[in-house]
Amino acid sequence: MADLATRAQQLLDLHHSGTTLVLPTVWDAWSAGAIVAAGSPALTIGSHPLADSRGQGDNEAMSLDDALDGIRRITAAVDVPVSADMESGYDTAPAELVERILDAGAVGINIEDTVHSEKRLRSAAEHADYIGALRSAADATGVPLVVNARTDAFLGRTEVFDDPLAEAIRRLRACEEAGARCVYPVKAPDATAVRTLLDELMGPVNVIAHPVNGSAAGSLDDLRAMGVHRVSFGPFLQMTLTESITELVTPWIS
C-alpha cells in the first residue's frame, strides 16, 4: 500500500496547491499515455468514455469487473496518480469498493448520487453515508483516497428540484461533513452558480469543462480567477477527438 499511499497523497496535495488542477479525462492506456506525455501530473478516468471505448454503455451498463479491468490497464500504463469514476458504486459495499479500486491502482474515486440500478436519486443523508463509509474504509487502509462526491441535483433526470442550487449545496455540504475530499456539482449552470458553490462549500469543488469551448462558468482563466480547485472533461475530450477523427478521415473515404 506504500506506493498507493504516496500517489494518493500526491493527488490530494494537487487539490490544495493554490492553483486550479486540471484532470484530463481518459478512457484507455493510449489516451492516458498521450496526456501524461503532454505534461499532466494526474488523470481521471470517465465512466462514459471508458464504456464507449469498450463498446459498452454508461450508467453502470458495464459490470464492475469490466470497469476495473479498464482502470487497471490505465493505471499500469502511467506513472501518475489516477482517479476513477465509479458511477454510483455499482451496488457494492463501500469497503469492498475501496479494496477493489485500490487493487486496480486508482487513488481517487468519483461517486454520484444517481443509483442507476434503481433509477433514483439517493437522499442527501444516504449519499453522505455512502461517501463517509468510503472515506472510513480508505482511512483504514492507510491510503488517503481522494473521494470526490458528485451530485446530479442540476441534471433533473430522476428528480427535479425547485431550487437545484440550494439542493446541490445541501447535498455536498453533507458529503463534505462525511469526509469527501472534493465535491462535484455536475452541470452547474453558470458562473453565478459556481461562485455560490465555492462560497458555500468548505473544500475543493470540481467543474466540468469542454477542452475547446470551456465550461458553463467560463474559460480556464475565468475558473482560475474564481478559485475553482479542479476541472475535468467528462466525456467531452473523447467527443472532441471523435469530431477531429471524422474530419481527418472523411476526405479519404467520401
Side-chain angles (χ1 to χ4, degrees), residues 21-37:
L21 168 64
V22 177
L23 283 180
T25 306
V26 302
W27 52 92
D28 61 11
W30 168 80
S31 59
I35 290 171
V36 169

Side-chain angles (χ1 to χ4, degrees), residues 24-99:
T25 306
V26 302
W27 52 92
D28 61 11
W30 168 80
S31 59
I35 290 171
V36 169
S40 183
L43 304 170
T44 186
I45 302 168
S47 65
H48 190 162
L50 175 60
D52 281 354
S53 76
R54 296 176 61 87
Q56 296 173 288
D58 192 27
N59 299 331
E60 298 185 8
M62 62 180 169
S63 69
L64 176 58
D65 286 343
D66 289 338
L68 291 168
D69 173 67
I71 291 164
R72 187 174 287 106
R73 291 171 185 270
I74 291 168
T75 60
V78 296
D79 193 27
V80 300
V82 177
S83 181
D85 177 6
M86 298 307 294
E87 306 220 40
S88 61
Y90 290 86
D91 297 315
T92 302
E96 179 186 349
L97 190 60
V98 166
E99 178 183 7

Side-chain angles (χ1 to χ4, degrees), residues 113 121 124 150-157 159-173 184-190 192-194 196-197 200-201:
D113 51 8
L121 208 64
R150 167 177 149 171
T151 182
D152 293 347
F154 288 110
L155 294 183
R157 291 177 181 167
E159 192 168 347
V160 177
F161 299 101
D162 292 336
D163 189 342
L165 177 58
E167 183 65 21
I169 291 168
R170 184 175 78 90
R171 287 170 171 267
L172 296 179
R173 276 180 176 167
Y184 180 16
V186 67
K187 294 290 182 72
D190 51 38
T192 299
V194 171
T196 302
L197 287 157
E200 296 293 332
L201 296 167

